[in-house]
Amino acid sequence: MARDLAALDYTVDAVAELLGPEAHAALGRDQVVPALVATRVAGEDPVREPLGAVVRFFLLARPLAAAALDAILPSVRSEGLMALGLASSESRTAPHDAGTLAAAVDLRPYSWDARDGEREVWVASDLAAHQRQGVLRRDHVLGIGQASATLVQATARRPVDRALDLGTGCGIQALHLLEHARHVVATDISDRALAFARFNVLLNAEALRVDPDRPEDRIELRKGSLLDPVAGERFDLVVSNPPFVITPRTPSERAEDQFTYRDGGLPGDQLVSTLVGGLGEVLAEGGTAQMLGNWEIPAGQAWHERVRGWIPEGLDAWVLEREEVGPGQYAETWLADASQQRDPAAYEDAYAAYLADFAGRGTSAVGFGVLWLRRPAEGQGRLDRFEHLAHPLEQPIGPHWAAAVARADWLAQHPDLASERLLVAEDVTEERHQRPGAEHPGVILLRQGAGFRRTALLSTELAGFASACDGDLTAGQIVSALAALLDRDDPAFRVGLLAEARSLVEEGFLGPADGRGSAADRKSGSVRDAVSVNREETA
């Protein structure tokens, strides 16, 4: 199968080129008609038709004649597709045509930037709502959705010995972990999910440097709930896109009534809180965990107060809340996710059950975000940070998150910032705003163009400090020069300005010069030049 797909050049770039920008973007929104049109046009070109046919079959879920599949996939052929469970003889348009096959799965190319170049793989999962009729099957195995992409982008990648992918689904997180972990354990409660994950590892064994005869040397697949399959073990990195969706529970509910890819089977947000509370038992010293989650926000309580209560003693925590929605919008999102609106009567009952469930616990909103946890090693800082960031972040955010944690560790190791030389980060710009006709600006801002894309409001003194951070002078020398120029030579001024500077380092506007030496050849201005523009404003 892998040989046939490679021969077809079934890659992300080739598919994008075949479809064209508009149809490719529409397919990303689950709209298949523009892609159907594009593949029909491609079908008129004998060179492009094989790739167009594979796209129609696996991405657009349109049936193909067995003879056509035999021609474009000559090694695996239609018999092999059926043996692998990738195709079925049942066709939506021609159910009685024995010579026609329909895709039984979504099989798509996927790529990412690896350390040694771009990594190209193929990922199989169940057909999504736009590719099939009716409500999704309860053991549906999700493909590369928005949530899984969010976790991929948020994970701080680093070489590790052992990594855990908890709730692996189709295995997308595990595929990424194999890039930088010596050994990976992937768990799931669903047999079907583990089968997809195993298939995807074997299909991409060569690209992932996995021996197909001994895949267990690099990756183990284990069945079980939450941390049960790894009890007593320790990992350097844990990632999880768990079934965090909050869904109403009923007394008569059975496990087979739940959508296993998203429903945790526990009331409210108990699955996420339980998982977070147990992560301390599996993290090695210096080990980190990154996971997605939902949390209920009780009326009259801040979201971070509730989530902070989940963090085990001794673990660092940095939680980003990316979105908050009301109970109604939350219900609509997840009912549509499983195509439950296709059964109007069931949709009405389910929607009402969501509202009653949230009301029963006094839930006023639901938050969604990313959690970063660490068991700190000696010399590392302590983090207890909870923030709501709804604006767009640079993706992938993982490398920037890792850099932010490294800065926090650096600050912990350098409590006296006065003796350190600092530099303004390369992506930082300054903005000054003033009313028409005003002599001096009323607002001075620093903005990050990358990473978390934060904005900092500066006093004129802090703006002068930042302007002088070119690596030449220590922070203490800059503060002393500012104090002299602004006639503020009192201890409170010095302590306060160094504390504000420390915050700018923490947020990534400033960073340590890292021994790069003098920046005089890059920036010839002195401290006096940097602050003279602020002197009259301060006065």
Side-chain angles (χ1 to χ4, degrees):
M1 185 70 194
R3 285 195 301 271
D4 283 347
L5 294 176
L8 286 168
D9 193 27
Y10 191 41
T11 63
V12 172
D13 288 344
V15 170
E17 182 180 359
L18 178 87
L19 298 180
E22 185 175 352
H24 189 255
L27 191 58
R29 302 189 302 270
D30 296 339
Q31 299 297 321
V32 302
V33 174
L36 281 169
V37 173
T39 57
R40 287 169 187 155
V41 172
E44 299 173 2
D45 180 350
V47 176
R48 303 173 73 202
E49 164 56 15
L51 180 59
V54 169
V55 169
R56 282 197 302 276
F57 188 71
F58 281 124
L59 296 187
L60 309 183
R62 292 306 188 265
L64 275 182
L69 287 167
D70 292 343
I72 61 177
L73 300 170
S75 298
V76 68
R77 300 178 59 82
S78 55
E79 297 90 343
L81 292 178
M82 296 184 67
L84 289 170
L86 304 180
S88 166
S89 60
E90 297 180 1
S91 166
R92 292 181 301 172
T93 57
H96 304 297
D97 185 352
T100 301
L101 297 184
V105 304
D106 176 292
L107 179 63
R108 63 182 55 222
Y110 176 75
S111 66
W112 67 86
D113 291 330
R115 286 175 294 175
D116 57 351
E118 188 174 54
R119 184 74 64 240
E120 289 274 0
V121 298
W122 302 284
V123 179
S125 60
D126 269 322
L127 295 171
H130 68 284
Q131 297 167 310
R132 62 186 303 280
Q133 295 177 340
V135 177
L136 298 183
R137 56 186 297 159
R138 297 289 168 167
D139 60 350
H140 176 83
V141 177
L142 197 65
I144 307 168
Q146 183 177 351
S148 56
T150 296
L151 182 57
V152 165
Q153 294 167 332
T155 300
R157 307 286 169 189
R158 58 190 176 92
V160 296
D161 184 52
R162 302 191 75 218
L164 169 64
D165 174 17
L166 194 152
T168 191
C170 70
I172 186 60
Q173 307 300 328
L175 300 189
H176 277 274
L177 290 175
L178 284 167
E179 280 286 337
H180 56 99
R182 182 192 62 81
H183 190 267
V184 176
V185 175
T187 70
D188 208 288
I189 199 169
S190 163
D191 287 319
R192 186 172 177 81
L194 292 171
F196 267 109
R198 180 178 182 275
F199 176 86
N200 287 328
V201 168
L202 294 177
L203 182 63
N204 299 290
E206 182 176 355
L208 298 173
R209 300 180 180 87
V210 171
D211 182 349
D213 295 320
R214 295 181 55 85
E216 64 278 1
D217 290 347
R218 294 289 322 280
I219 181 169
E220 295 178 58
L221 300 172
R222 303 181 189 175
K223 184 180 179 181
S225 177
L226 297 178
L227 295 167
D228 291 347
V230 294
E233 299 181 49
R234 296 282 177 140
F235 296 88
D236 306 296
L237 176 62
V238 178
V239 299
S240 182
N241 177 15
F244 57 75
V245 179
I246 300 168
T247 49
R249 308 266 69 90
T250 62
S252 60
E253 184 179 70
R254 302 167 301 169
E256 53 266 32
D257 295 328
Q258 302 165 5
F259 290 101
T260 55
Y261 74 95
R262 68 176 206 187
D263 297 338
L266 295 175
D269 51 22
Q270 284 187 23
L271 183 133
V272 176
S273 64
T274 300
L275 177 55
V276 171
L279 283 173
E281 300 301 316
V282 298
L283 285 178
E285 185 178 18
T288 58
Q290 288 184 267
M291 60 175 286
L292 305 182
N294 272 165
W295 38 82
E296 294 186 314
I297 305 172
Q301 184 179 13
W303 72 270
H304 56 84
E305 295 176 1
R306 177 173 177 78
V307 179
R308 180 179 274 113
W310 298 348
I311 309 302
E313 185 177 354
L315 293 194
D316 292 336
W318 187 345
V319 182
L320 296 181
E321 184 181 67
R322 299 290 287 142
E323 184 180 18
E324 279 188 20
V325 299
Q329 185 178 349
Y330 191 85
E332 293 160 15
T333 297
W334 294 108
L335 288 170
D337 175 78
S339 301
Q340 288 172 276
Q341 76 276 17
R342 295 178 181 178
D343 184 341
Y347 179 82
E348 182 178 336
D349 291 342
Y351 199 137
Y354 266 100
L355 298 181
D357 187 54
F358 284 128
R361 289 188 298 275
T363 301
S364 63
V366 179
F368 168 83
V370 189
L371 301 92
W372 177 94
L373 304 173
R374 177 175 71 178
R375 178 175 292 284
E378 185 178 354
Q380 292 181 322
R382 296 306 311 270
L383 285 167
D384 177 39
R385 188 164 185 171
F386 297 77
E387 53 187 330
H388 179 87
L389 295 180
H391 63 265
L393 310 180
E394 183 183 14
Q395 298 297 346
I397 193 61
H400 301 284
W401 207 333
V405 172
R407 285 194 304 273
D409 291 339
W410 183 86
L411 285 169
Q413 296 160 9
H414 299 82
D416 182 12
L417 202 61
S419 60
E420 305 301 328
R421 288 177 167 81
L422 303 175
L423 287 173
V424 178
E426 293 292 334
D427 65 309
V428 171
T429 57
E430 183 184 275
E431 293 182 14
R432 291 175 177 247
H433 300 267
Q434 62 193 69
R435 293 184 60 79
E439 185 177 356
H440 302 297
V443 176
I444 305 174
L445 302 173
L446 287 188
R447 291 193 187 276
Q448 294 174 337
F452 290 92
R453 293 175 174 159
R454 301 181 188 276
T455 298
L457 176 63
L458 306 186
S459 64
T460 52
E461 295 92 342
L462 190 56
F465 180 94
S467 298
C469 287
D470 59 6
D472 273 348
L473 302 178
T474 66
Q477 289 171 324
I478 295 173
V479 170
S480 296
L482 280 165
L485 286 169
L486 302 174
D487 299 323
R488 295 289 305 277
D489 195 13
D490 58 272
F493 174 81
R494 180 183 179 85
V495 171
L497 192 52
L498 283 173
E500 289 182 301
R502 193 175 187 86
S503 294
L504 290 183
V505 175
E506 185 179 84
E507 302 290 357
F509 295 97
L510 302 177
D514 293 330
R516 282 180 279 174
S518 173
D521 56 336
R522 294 189 295 107
K523 186 175 181 182
S524 60
S526 66
V527 176
R528 181 176 296 275
D529 297 327
V531 303
S532 61
V533 71
N534 300 310
R535 188 175 184 181
E536 290 186 4
E537 298 162 13
T538 304

